[in-house]
Structure formats: structure tokens, C-alpha cells
């Protein structure tokens, strides 16, 4: 098996702060939440039961946040669609004519 080189990660850390660093591979992460997700995905076999449960809770919270985000985007898409539909129907007397939208 060939040895893979250790990747280097560029981080921009504000003065006086330190990033959360993975104890297994040394990867710097932005927050403890991301550290828990990273450990659960990349180092599952090395985790104890408490850390695995913490990963499950964090992963569940992340999925809930993504679900809410997707629903908000879907709502925004519906609002934008109907706004364009109402503007189009207000601007044109003949819905089949595109020429009524072009100002003369």
C-alpha cells in the first residue's frame, strides 16, 4: 500500500482564537459542531459510544436545519413564480401575445 501525503489545510483564524482540530487527523474545522460531524463521518470506528451519540444528535439537527431551509426556498420559489405570473397577466390583455409586454 502506498503512503498518501498528509494534506495541508489553509485556514484563516482570527487573532486570539484557535480552530477546532480533529484529534485523529489534525484537520482544522470552523466549529465544534463541524468537528463532531467530521469525526462521525470520517472516524466512526474510533469514536466511543458517547461521541457517537453526540454525532447522531448533531446529524439529526443538521438534517432538520436543511429541511427547514429547503422548505423556505420552496416557498420563495412559489412566491416568485406567482409574482411573475401576476405581473405578466396584469401587463398583457391578451395572454397569448408577447408584443404587449414590449414598451413602445
Amino acid at each position: 500500500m502506498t503512503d498518501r501525503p498528509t494534506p495541508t489545510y489553509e485556514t484563516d483564524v482570527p487573532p486570539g482564537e484557535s480552530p477546532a482540530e480533529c484529534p485523529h487527523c489534525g484537520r482544522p474545522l470552523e466549529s465544534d459542531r463541524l468537528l463532531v460531524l467530521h469525526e462521525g463521518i470520517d472516524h466512526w470506528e474510533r469514536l466511543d459510544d458517547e461521541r457517537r451519540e453526540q454525532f447522531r444528535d448533531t446529524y439529526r439537527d443538521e438534517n432538520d436545519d436543511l429541511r427547514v431551509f429547503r422548505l423556505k426556498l420552496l416557498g420563495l420559489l412559489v412566491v416568485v413564480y406567482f409574482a411573475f405570473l401576476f405581473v405578466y397577466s396584469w401587463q398583457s390583455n391578451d395572454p397569448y401575445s408577447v408584443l404587449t409586454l414590449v414598451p413602445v
Side-chain angles (χ1 to χ4, degrees):
M1 190 184 311
T2 62
D3 290 333
R4 293 188 306 183
T6 304
T8 57
Y9 302 101
E10 292 184 25
T11 57
D12 186 21
V13 181
E17 293 187 21
S18 61
E21 189 172 304
C22 178
H24 307 289
C25 65
R27 180 177 182 175
L29 297 153
E30 188 175 315
S31 66
D32 290 333
R33 182 178 181 180
L34 292 178
L35 175 62
V36 171
L37 291 172
H38 165 75
E39 285 180 332
I41 292 171
D42 292 340
H43 308 292
W44 178 260
E45 65 282 349
R46 296 180 180 179
L47 300 180
D48 59 353
D49 290 338
E50 180 182 335
R51 196 65 170 178
R52 287 181 180 184
E53 188 61 34
Q54 190 176 8
F55 166 74
R56 287 184 185 108
D57 293 340
T58 305
Y59 189 81
R60 193 175 306 116
D61 292 342
E62 186 79 12
N63 278 339
D64 292 343
D65 292 345
L66 283 173
R67 186 175 297 116
V68 169
F69 176 72
R70 289 176 183 145
L71 287 173
K72 287 179 181 180
L73 279 182
L74 178 63
L76 178 65
L77 182 64
V78 168
V79 167
V80 167
Y81 172 77
F82 280 106
F84 279 122
L85 183 67
F86 289 141
V87 167
Y88 177 76
S89 67
W90 180 68
Q91 286 290 325
S92 66
N93 294 330
D94 182 12
Y96 300 111
S97 173
V98 178
L99 296 177
T100 58
L101 291 176
V102 178
V104 179

